[in-house]
């Protein structure tokens, strides 16, 4: 899998919980949330559009930053 890096305008724990909730609902994703840097790293079979659409369901501004090579 490629790890995808997204910017999500999260300001608090509640925001990151919203992200966690929508991604769990989508299913088939492993993800890490970097709240201080407003980044979400997602490891998934879903395409970028689906992931971005899902992140935007939180009502937060979200954008795709690119692929992060797995380390």
């Amino acid at each position: 899998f490629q790890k995808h890096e997204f910017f999500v305008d999260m300001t608090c724990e509640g925001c990151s919980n919203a992200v966690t909730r929508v991604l769990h609902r989508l299913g088939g994703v492993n993800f890490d949330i970097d709240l201080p840097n407003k980044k979400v790293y997602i490891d998934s079979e879903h395409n970028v559009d689906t992931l971005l659409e899902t992140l935007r369901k939180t009502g937060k501004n979200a954008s795709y930053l690119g692929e992060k090579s797995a380390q």
Side-chain angles (χ1 to χ4, degrees), residues 3-55:
K3 228 184 172 84
H4 299 291
E5 186 176 344
F6 294 88
F7 167 84
V8 181
D9 196 14
M10 303 173 287
T11 51
C12 63
E13 202 63 40
C15 299
S16 64
N17 290 342
V19 169
T20 300
R21 211 166 33 248
V22 295
L23 289 174
H24 276 307
R25 202 171 299 144
L26 178 64
V29 293
N30 289 320
F31 60 93
D32 291 306
I33 295 174
D34 178 354
L35 186 55
N37 295 311
K38 302 184 178 192
K39 301 260 180 79
V40 181
Y41 303 101
I42 305 176
D43 202 352
S44 171
E45 290 179 359
H46 296 288
N47 67 33
V48 170
D49 293 337
T50 302
L51 295 172
L52 198 50
E53 203 175 290
T54 301
L55 290 170

Side-chain angles (χ1 to χ4, degrees), residues 52-63:
L52 198 50
E53 203 175 290
T54 301
L55 290 170
R56 288 188 174 141
K57 286 180 184 167
T58 60
K60 302 286 168 210
N61 182 14
S63 55

